[in-house]
Amino acid sequence: MKKTSLVILLITTLSAFCFGQAKKPTIMVMPSDVWCNTNGYTTSYDNQGSTQKIPDYKNALQSDPDLLLVISKINTLMAERGFPLKDLESTLKSIEQRMAEDNMTTSKTSGAELAESPLDRIRRTAKADIIMQMTWTVNTTGPKKTITFNLQGIDSYTNKQIAGAQGTGQPSFTAEIPVLLEEAVINHIDAFCSQLQSYFEELQNIGREVSVDIRVFDTGEMDLETEFDGVELSEIIDDWMAQNTVEHRFNKSDASENFIQFEQVRIPLYKMNGAAMDTEAFVRELRNFLRKNYEIQSKVMTRGLGRAILVIGEK
């Protein structure tokens, strides 16, 4: 009986270990900024008085049938290799359904606000670990065609490129872009996926890199030098960061009595209950800690997936 129980325990433990090792990052395939700009799919938006140009993915998806086919083909190649997928078109539809929400996050008390770009909104809604950016051009020589591609794996939280593949396929008489693309990409895709998986496994060991800003509402009642039991608030926050980051990894790049800027903050990929951890959830834990232990009111505001701001003093 004991042997049977031991064998069952061993099999269960081994299965859990293998499942954990096999976990893959969630990805979303998108056309690159260069492709969108080259093909005229861009739009402008006002970012607190500054006009910025960004890709117009909705227009591109509705106007360019090749784009849908290319995304579908890359999705298929990645799904065959076991990568969970988030679909760009479905994500855009989800955002449209929530357009009744305010485009600005505002303090209930003072009216302080923070803009979120349309691209940040896409990434936050999809919550994909990695964005796969595709750029391609079709080359024509007589009756034959080739396709030149550039595939980039971008960390959604840091916007850093963590994988890449480039190349030109063999000449072909076919005019179908997805077929040309598959023929060009197929010899590179496994190496590309290996880069993605290696990076994701590294994140599981040392945590995901994000940025956290601490700010103070201009009420005059409290700043980061305010003391609690003889300890300044900035020190309390420093200690919390040291205890809750992976391997105590974070960099306090700048600070004053009114703000702290933390960079290269390594947060765990998952919460204690197994749910995914993102920057907003991580900073909410800090907010809850300050409220519970020091009765400090604060507000969490986000900019995309990789940055969150905690504003001390109000909601």
Side-chain angles (χ1 to χ4, degrees), residues 207-210 244-246 265-269 277-279 282:
R208 190 189 302 281
E209 181 180 334
V210 302
N244 289 273
T245 49
V246 177
V265 179
R266 292 287 181 169
I267 67 173
L269 264 64
M277 173 78 81
D278 59 18
T279 319
F282 179 76

Side-chain angles (χ1 to χ4, degrees), residues 23-29 78 82-87 91 125-132 154-157 162 196-197 200 203 208 269-270 276 305:
K23 189 170 183 64
K24 294 181 181 293
T26 302
I27 64 170
M28 183 166 67
V29 180
M78 297 305 291
F83 285 85
L85 301 166
K86 294 291 182 72
D87 183 65
T91 299
T125 303
K127 290 192 174 180
D129 297 302
I130 294 168
I131 299 297
M132 288 180 61
I154 308 294
D155 186 319
S156 295
Y157 287 72
I162 45 87
L196 295 184
Q197 187 61 32
F200 191 66
L203 294 186
R208 190 189 302 281
L269 264 64
Y270 306 103
L305 286 175

Side-chain angles (χ1 to χ4, degrees), residues 163-176:
Q166 308 83 29
T168 300
Q170 295 296 318
S172 173
F173 287 101
T174 182
E176 297 180 5

